[in-house]
Amino acid sequence: IWGPGAANDQTIPSCLARALHDAGHPAQVVNLGETGYVSTQGILRLLLELRAGNVPDVAVFYDGANELAAAAQTGEPGIPMNEVRRREDFLRGAGAAAPAPPERSTAQLALETIAAYRANLRVLQALGREYGFEVCCFWQPVPYLHKPLTAYEQRASGRRDLGEIMRLGYDAVRDQQMPPFFADLSRVFEETPQPRYVDWCHLIGDGNAEVAAAMLPRVVAALEAR
């Protein structure tokens, strides 16, 4: 699984492994997620694994928040998180000033970010055909839409500067024709009044388990298509 990474037994990969086992589909679920990665970086990691001969039965990608937050940082679509800081450090060392970010409206930036993501999905689809694995891509839930937030979640989500691009980006995902191996999970907590978010994109263990349960049918279908 490529997506937000962590090492404990309540991550989405761990929850998905248990859910698969309980459903009678024992599988080895490997968590290759890294903190802050966008889908382009996940694909590069997948390429390295494929080159080393590590071909999965199903590659699961969990994206959304980082794609849009990274774009908001730089004003450019398809850019890794914190790239603006790396540019500033480089230019500072060269004695040059950082250039002004490109002028794009938030709506345009959101649309271009989703277009870049869709292009990445085409790359994944082509890799799956070439190497013989299935692909499942999921757009993660975020606290900016589709959930009645608790008072704690309202405080913890904090990043109100991201609200507009998140809403516009998720609207674009809904309006675009996405491939059949993609699913938008943004409504998973739509009727959940209990807390699920610990910050602007990360979940408590119960939330990870619910996301894994929502992933399960598609992952099982992908395994059975092998």
Side-chain angles (χ1 to χ4, degrees), residues 141-217:
V142 291
Y144 302 96
L145 63 166
H146 305 321
K147 184 186 184 299
L149 298 182
T150 65
Y152 170 79
E153 287 176 312
Q154 291 179 22
R155 295 193 301 273
S157 58
R159 299 287 305 277
R160 295 302 167 193
D161 57 307
L162 296 178
E164 183 180 13
I165 194 168
M166 291 289 177
R167 288 188 291 271
L168 290 168
Y170 277 70
D171 284 347
V173 165
R174 183 194 62 215
D175 295 340
Q176 296 284 335
Q177 185 174 359
M178 306 299 277
F181 57 84
F182 172 87
D184 178 6
L185 301 184
S186 63
R187 293 185 179 272
V188 165
F189 308 126
E190 190 171 31
E191 299 181 4
T192 305
Q194 296 83 9
R196 290 293 179 264
Y197 295 102
V198 296
D199 58 23
W200 65 280
C201 69
H202 298 98
L203 305 171
I204 63 173
D206 287 346
N208 285 335
E210 290 173 46
V211 167
M215 290 178 168
L216 183 64

Side-chain angles (χ1 to χ4, degrees), residues 44 96 135 138:
L44 290 174
V135 179
F138 300 97

